[in-house]
Amino acid sequence: MRLYFSLLAFAAMLPAQVGYGTLLQSLSPIQTAGLTAVSLPGNPSITTNEIVALSQGEPNGSGRSLFNAQSLGLLFGDRNGDGFPFDWPDIDALEVVAPPPNTLQPSPFDLRFSFGANVLAANGSTLVNTGDIVRLTGIGTYAIHIPRGAFQAAIGTNAALNVDAYAELADGAVLVSFAGAGTGNNIINPLNGQTGNLLSWTGADVFVIRPPFGALPALFAYRQSDLAQVVNFYYGGSYVLSEVSDIEEQPNVGWVSNQTWDPAGVYQGGQRPRLLWTVAGDENVFCWSSTLNPLSTSHNFYALIGGTTGSSMGYATNLGGYRVVADALAIWPRTMTTSTRMTIDASSLTPTAGSSIYFDVRSREAGGTFFELVLSGTTSPGMGITLGTNGFMHLMAPYTDPLLLWSISPAVAPLFITGGASAQGTGGSITFTLPANAAGLALVVQAVRVGNGWPLSAPLFFKVL
């Protein structure tokens, strides 16, 4: 049972806020018992592993989806050989790298992931371990950004590590926290500055891992006792902090001393970044303070998600507005305009020949905005064709794709333009009847906002059965 009493006592005094940039968050597949529906205004159904975003200075309810699990699955590819690229695993940790110049929204290729379970091939072999950090490289391709073995070497353990929280620092080092507890003999001991001692760690401890990864020993950046003093302030002393679900460097602020865990100044002269984190079973984003009183800083919460009258993201559920569980956290170091957050949903990802299908485009563009759907039967290698900086930056089809050319031709293009967006920013298409001979047809569909830079949504795949 989650303890909200102390937290909610402050919710009325603390307005929802994002301290800097844009907060990215994903929901865990493990939610409170009885929860069957999660939504955002204009986003009628938020699924687990969907990445949503809220920008600095935006009011409650402004959270919008960036990428749903089906879009990410398309980019990850068909791993189990069933012909459907919906094999997107459970996101356990999320990070976003430094943005290219002038980009207003991260693409999936700017993200780093860890997964909650091993990714298996059709033959049962393991493709991605829970301890690997993965990045997407293009349609159906991925790369191991940091292998689990590098973390094992840095910690000094043979345990099957599960990366539960991950963040990258500007100097090339990473912050990482692992699920559960363990021991390692390659961690720098803060008592003597040496390694070789079998030190214990918990799921609420945060390590610094320095490059070259696996060649240098790990050291503690934060420990459970550090983070617990902030969390317990809100939840009360009966709450036991056993696991952080994701972490991030707090942007746009200075670092603080790490004298307790790095008295020898092994890393950055004994400094550590201020930390943002979420705890297991919750969605609020806590902020580390250099003082013992969490309320004395400018952002005691980096983002107050939960609350009795709604939430900053705008989550609503069948159990009340504040009961969701997050499992991933990242900060995009810029604010996003209304036209940069677009996602497309299909009424069915596996429709049958002769049945009906329609599409909803979710956006922050409210009140009369129109979206055009573009279709393709093939996809470009790599990241697709770069079109611009607003919204998703890539058209996942070659210009010569015949279906794309057909769907944007003047004769049929009006059929693929949605109705005007609702006050919440959702525009719906007409209902299409699939031809009776369309069985086996696999299509990629994207939404393009008509005008205002023509931003794109992330792609969506569906296959006619």
Side-chain angles (χ1 to χ4, degrees):
M1 182 70 179
R2 292 161 54 190
L3 303 177
Y4 282 105
F5 303 109
S6 297
L7 173 63
L8 294 181
F10 289 101
M13 296 184 292
L14 299 174
Q17 59 183 309
V18 170
Y20 178 78
T22 299
L23 176 73
L24 308 180
Q25 194 173 59
S26 180
L27 300 186
S28 170
I30 302 175
Q31 295 290 329
T32 304
L35 187 146
T36 58
V38 179
S39 64
L40 291 172
N43 294 237
S45 178
I46 297 297
T47 58
T48 59
N49 297 307
E50 186 158 357
I51 298 175
V52 296
L54 176 73
S55 277
Q56 178 183 1
E58 292 185 328
N60 286 5
S62 295
R64 285 295 181 270
S65 173
L66 282 184
F67 313 114
N68 56 27
Q70 290 79 21
S71 295
L72 294 171
L74 170 62
L75 299 171
F76 193 60
D78 181 9
R79 300 294 127 197
N80 59 14
D82 65 356
F84 297 94
F86 303 148
D87 305 337
W88 188 247
D90 171 30
I91 300 176
D92 224 11
L94 177 70
E95 174 64 326
V96 59
V97 300
N102 301 319
T103 54
L104 302 177
Q105 174 190 317
S107 80
F109 312 109
D110 300 317
L111 305 178
R112 306 290 180 260
F113 307 94
S114 77
F115 299 133
N118 290 346
V119 178
L120 304 180
N123 62 4
S125 63
T126 298
L127 299 173
V128 180
N129 290 300
T130 57
D132 295 328
I133 302 297
V134 174
R135 62 183 175 88
L136 301 175
T137 59
I139 287 290
T141 60
Y142 68 95
I144 304 299
H145 184 57
I146 302 176
R148 181 176 66 184
F151 294 130
Q152 290 173 315
I155 298 293
T157 179
N158 292 320
L161 298 175
N162 184 335
V163 173
D164 209 22
Y166 175 81
E168 297 186 5
L169 304 176
D171 62 4
V174 300
L175 301 175
V176 65
S177 181
F178 303 104
T183 57
N185 61 12
N186 200 30
I187 306 167
I188 294 178
N189 191 326
L191 297 179
N192 56 27
Q194 300 175 353
T195 61
N197 300 283
L198 197 65
L199 295 183
S200 300
W201 48 267
T202 75
D205 291 329
V206 179
F207 291 99
V208 174
I209 310 291
R210 300 166 293 160
F213 302 122
L216 295 177
L219 69 154
F220 291 111
Y222 288 85
R223 303 215 66 181
Q224 188 272 351
S225 56
D226 294 323
L227 306 184
Q229 67 175 316
V230 179
V231 176
N232 289 347
F233 185 90
Y234 298 98
Y235 284 165
S238 59
Y239 180 88
V240 178
L241 176 63
S242 60
E243 184 179 348
V244 294
S245 54
D246 208 353
I247 54 178
E248 179 62 279
E249 177 187 3
Q250 184 182 359
N252 211 34
V253 295
W255 288 26
V256 293
S257 173
N258 193 20
Q259 180 64 28
T260 301
W261 312 119
D262 186 17
V266 174
Y267 176 66
Q268 294 291 4
Q271 297 289 299
R272 60 183 175 177
R274 293 177 188 259
L275 193 69
L276 306 176
W277 74 96
T278 53
V279 300
D282 205 322
E283 73 275 28
N284 293 291
V285 180
F286 292 96
C287 175
W288 171 251
S289 166
S290 60
T291 65
L292 293 179
N293 178 6
L295 289 178
S296 67
T297 59
S298 59
H299 292 296
N300 47 311
F301 278 97
Y302 189 85
L304 180 60
I305 305 300
T308 55
T309 58
S311 66
S312 61
M313 282 291 191
Y315 294 125
T317 77
N318 61 303
L319 297 179
Y322 58 90
R323 302 195 62 157
V324 296
V325 178
D327 202 19
L329 168 72
I331 301 297
W332 176 251
R334 296 175 182 172
T335 57
M336 293 184 189
T337 65
T338 55
S339 63
T340 60
R341 278 166 280 182
M342 295 169 53
T343 304
I344 185 170
D345 291 324
S347 57
S348 174
L349 297 174
T350 54
T352 58
S355 68
S356 298
I357 189 171
Y358 63 88
F359 304 93
D360 285 321
V361 181
R362 296 183 274 161
S363 172
R364 281 208 61 225
E365 298 276 6
T369 301
F370 294 88
F371 309 95
E372 182 172 0
L373 308 179
V374 295
L375 306 178
S376 61
T378 58
T379 54
S380 294
M383 297 182 182
I385 302 167
T386 301
L387 291 184
T389 59
N390 277 359
F392 187 80
M393 294 179 292
H394 309 281
L395 178 67
M396 305 311 293
Y399 288 129
T400 56
D401 181 275
L403 193 57
L404 172 66
L405 296 175
W406 175 78
S407 65
I408 63 175
S409 67
V412 299
L415 297 176
F416 292 95
I417 295 179
T418 69
S422 67
Q424 291 77 36
T426 297
S429 76
I430 65 172
T431 299
F432 299 96
T433 299
L434 296 169
N437 61 351
L441 183 65
L443 297 177
V444 175
V445 58
Q446 286 181 266
V448 183
R449 191 236 196 258
V450 177
N452 192 24
W454 302 89
L456 287 151
S457 75
L460 188 70
F461 173 95
F462 70 96
K463 185 174 183 178
V464 183
L465 300 182

